[in-house]
Amino acid sequence: MTSTFPTISISTERLVLRPLDEDDVPALAQMMDDEQIVAWTAVPHPFTEDAARHWITEYAPSERTAGRGLDLAVTEFLTQRLVGVIQLGKTNWHVRSTELSYIVASWARGEGYASEAALAVAQWLFTDQKFERIELRTAADNTASQQVAQKIGCISEGVLRGACMARARAEDGTWAETRTDYIVWSLLPEDIEGAGEQLAESGGFTSYTDWN
């Protein structure tokens, strides 16, 4: 029997993490069609509303149903504006481990949203889902992503040489792929001891019962 993540809503001091919804299509398309996201991810460029709709209605539900992962919209608590996405993938239910990644909209960077959301998901995984390991992989030159990993307590475990394909602007304005290294990070339950009180004070997490 395949294990799957439950539908969930996680609240922090400033954010609400919830399942992606079709109402997110315009904001998701706009967020993903950003040069920094194109550079460090494998998303298609330009990223259209059709691509966003496919992600929300087909890809994300199939990943959760198959037990491979979970995609959560990260929204501002006060405005409900989409500020990013947290993804869990390559989940191993026997080992109780998963890979975590995060994307933040260009207008929301520098506010600490990525680390706040990632820490909340990690705490939920360790306490509610009884996971034992979270892995992150950051491109060698993606210092912003590395800072998030460090901020939430991740430990750098090593380098996967030549394992990442990044993208950069060519002289003619087109995108060209370039090979680089991955830095592998891990987070274990003991790495974020004390974070539970912070999450509890900010509202904790609640089940999402009305999402398919």
Side-chain angles (χ1 to χ4, degrees):
M1 180 178 178
T2 301
S3 297
T4 59
F5 289 110
T7 54
I8 194 76
S9 174
I10 303 173
S11 300
T12 73
E13 182 178 354
R14 299 179 298 169
L15 304 171
V16 175
L17 285 67
R18 57 163 177 76
L20 287 159
D21 184 87
E22 279 200 73
D23 290 341
D24 297 317
V25 164
L28 181 62
Q30 182 179 16
M31 180 181 75
M32 299 301 291
D33 199 29
D34 171 76
E35 291 209 354
Q36 287 296 314
I37 294 175
V38 173
W40 300 120
T41 70
V43 299
H45 179 72
F47 195 91
T48 64
E49 289 198 2
D50 284 342
R53 186 171 291 105
H54 178 269
W55 182 351
I56 292 170
T57 62
E58 297 184 42
Y59 174 76
S62 66
E63 286 292 288
R64 191 188 73 84
T65 301
R68 291 187 293 265
L70 181 69
D71 293 47
L72 294 172
V74 181
T75 63
E76 284 186 322
F77 177 76
L78 293 178
T79 67
Q80 299 184 27
R81 189 177 182 184
L82 183 71
V83 302
V85 174
I86 291 281
Q87 286 187 290
L88 302 177
K90 302 177 182 176
T91 304
N92 186 320
W93 290 95
H94 177 66
V95 179
R96 307 301 290 187
S97 69
T98 192
E99 185 174 322
L100 184 148
S101 59
Y102 33 79
I103 297 170
V104 177
S106 59
W107 62 268
R109 292 171 190 151
E111 300 295 329
Y113 285 148
S115 55
E116 185 173 330
L119 183 61
V121 171
Q123 184 63 36
W124 171 70
L125 285 169
F126 290 147
T127 58
D128 187 82
Q129 297 296 296
K130 308 304 181 186
F131 269 57
E132 297 293 337
R133 174 182 168 88
I134 298 171
E135 186 172 303
L136 291 79
R137 298 187 180 192
T138 63
D141 295 326
N142 191 349
T143 56
S145 186
Q146 292 163 28
Q147 288 170 356
V148 172
Q150 292 172 330
K151 187 178 292 186
I152 66 174
C154 292
I155 304 300
S156 176
E157 292 187 331
V159 175
L160 297 178
R161 297 183 299 164
C164 175
M165 297 301 294
R167 287 180 282 193
R169 283 284 192 186
E171 291 183 1
D172 62 0
T174 60
W175 288 95
E177 286 191 331
T178 178
R179 187 175 296 276
T180 186
D181 300 336
Y182 264 136
I183 300 176
V184 180
W185 308 78
S186 67
L187 192 66
L188 304 183
E190 57 265 30
D191 296 328
I192 57 170
E193 287 182 1
E197 291 85 3
Q198 294 177 333
L199 185 60
E201 290 172 1
S202 63
F205 49 82
T206 56
S207 296
Y208 223 88
T209 58
D210 58 348
W211 182 71
N212 294 322

